[in-house]
Amino acid sequence: MSKSADIALARVLAHCGGAPEEAMRYIARAVADDPAATEPYQLIEQLRPDVTEPDSPWAYIIASYVRFLDGDMDRAATALGMLTGYQPDVAWTAAPWFTDPRFRAGVTPQGLAGATANIGMYGHVHDDDITRERLRPWFELIDVVCARQPDPQAMAHMAILLRACGRTAESLTLCDRADEVERVMLTEVVRGGTWRKLGDRSQARAAFERALALDPANWSLFLDLADQSAEDGEFAEAAALVSRGLEHEPHEASLRAAGAAYRARATGAAEDLDLLVSLAPDLDPGYRDHLIECAVAGPGLPAELIAGARASQNKI
């Protein structure tokens, strides 16, 4: 069905007292087909549906514009970020309201940071020329908002999107701009991740060490540094860093699993491999598999234990 047919059906349903939800579905389809067209937004404005709790992609399409009309620019950005993350092959930011001066002046750094986080939540790859061009209005909005109201925590979150899109130089520059306002732990973590993506492990490690100096009790930073040490083949050092993290969060599964993996790799201790396997169900699958592959390369581990550990990857 064409965009014009969707709009025509929506008008009929709306003006004849038909189901408002069905009318909104037709309007949402028209927006998705051509986000830059003005007619669907005019109809949304006329009907002003309730968008209190959007629970589907089509509902987020409607909610993003209604929230803009209501002056709730942060929630408008959040909804569009969800759509962008869910379906990045649609040019959602072509919506006329996205470049409206009222939106650009009203969205806060915190709201934009949350919206950009939503873009990355579905696991799509954004590091290609076509996607970067489609997301360019988000990058421009980041510049506008950060110039208007620089907030270091929010800027660090936005730098994650830039990194994910392959704009690593811009990501590092935004981190530097955040430091000019105030040095915070998150900025160093994001900077470290960007250097890591660029393959500069010494710069990445230095950034994580600076982050730890800013937040010495943060267990996840010890894990980041431990993983870095393991990548450099320093497994005993990695295990020692995990032990320091466990002093702050002794029950954290990822810390306990990493410690077991790195000790097994360094010493060939069978009990550590067993501990890792017992913790495996509580881990992110990608990290779990990485730790198991690291651990089974430990010296002198029995072949049956190695086979059992690898088999556990397929049972979870």
Side-chain angles (χ1 to χ4, degrees):
M1 187 179 294
S2 69
K3 176 188 69 179
S4 58
D6 285 330
I7 290 295
L9 278 169
R11 288 191 182 280
V12 169
L13 286 166
H15 295 299
C16 295
E21 181 174 308
E22 189 173 358
M24 290 301 109
R25 287 180 183 273
Y26 284 117
I27 295 170
R29 278 174 35 171
V31 171
D33 185 60
D34 183 4
T38 58
E39 189 176 12
Y41 302 102
Q42 292 168 352
L43 190 51
I44 295 170
E45 188 168 2
Q46 292 172 21
L47 299 175
R48 283 297 187 104
D50 178 17
V51 295
T52 306
E53 295 293 339
D55 58 0
S56 63
W58 73 263
Y60 274 100
I61 293 172
I62 304 300
S64 64
Y65 186 54
V66 171
R67 287 168 175 168
F68 164 76
L69 293 173
D70 291 341
D72 192 346
M73 304 310 182
D74 283 356
R75 295 181 75 194
T78 296
L80 205 71
M82 291 282 288
L83 288 168
T84 303
Y86 180 74
Q87 200 169 2
D89 57 338
V90 175
W92 298 108
T93 54
W97 63 265
F98 193 83
T99 53
D100 188 294
R102 291 170 294 171
F103 174 66
R104 292 196 162 201
V107 66
T108 68
Q110 298 77 20
L112 184 54
T116 58
N118 286 344
I119 293 173
M121 71 182 297
Y122 290 98
H124 293 293
V125 175
H126 300 110
D127 192 356
D128 63 79
D129 290 338
I130 293 174
T131 305
R132 272 190 290 273
E133 179 58 27
R134 197 173 288 125
L135 295 178
R136 182 172 49 81
W138 285 103
F139 307 147
E140 294 171 353
L141 185 60
I142 287 172
D143 285 338
V144 168
V145 172
C146 291
R148 166 168 52 81
Q149 189 180 347
D151 177 280
Q153 291 277 359
M155 293 165 81
H157 280 291
M158 296 177 212
I160 295 173
L161 175 65
L162 296 176
R163 179 179 71 205
C165 295
R167 294 172 63 110
T168 50
E170 293 90 339
S171 180
L172 292 170
T173 296
L174 189 56
C175 287
D176 292 343
R177 289 171 60 191
D179 281 347
E180 292 172 3
V181 181
E182 181 186 1
R183 289 189 64 227
V184 297
M185 177 270 290
L186 181 61
T187 306
E188 292 292 4
V189 171
V190 175
R191 182 182 281 118
T194 303
W195 282 120
R196 200 171 186 175
K197 180 172 182 172
L198 290 168
D200 192 327
R201 294 154 77 126
S202 64
Q203 290 270 27
R205 186 178 188 90
F208 285 118
E209 288 173 346
R210 290 192 299 269
L212 189 59
L214 290 166
D215 190 359
N218 190 310
W219 65 265
S220 66
L221 296 176
F222 287 103
L223 184 57
D224 287 330
L225 283 167
D227 290 341
Q228 291 252 313
S229 293
E231 288 176 10
D232 293 334
E234 301 292 342
F235 299 106
E237 179 183 321
L241 284 163
V242 168
S243 295
R244 290 174 61 191
L246 286 166
E247 293 174 8
H248 302 286
E249 196 63 44
H251 303 297
E252 170 56 40
S254 57
L255 272 176
R256 296 176 63 211
Y262 298 146
R263 287 191 303 273
R265 179 62 179 270
T267 67
E271 61 271 22
D272 284 316
L273 184 55
D274 286 337
L275 174 59
L276 173 60
V277 171
S278 72
L279 292 168
D282 299 323
L283 304 177
D284 169 81
Y287 192 54
R288 171 202 71 202
D289 292 349
H290 165 74
L291 290 179
I292 287 175
E293 288 305 313
C294 175
V296 298
L301 284 167
E304 61 273 17
L305 283 183
I306 293 173
R310 285 196 167 129
S312 71
Q313 294 173 317
N314 300 320
K315 294 179 182 176
I316 301 166

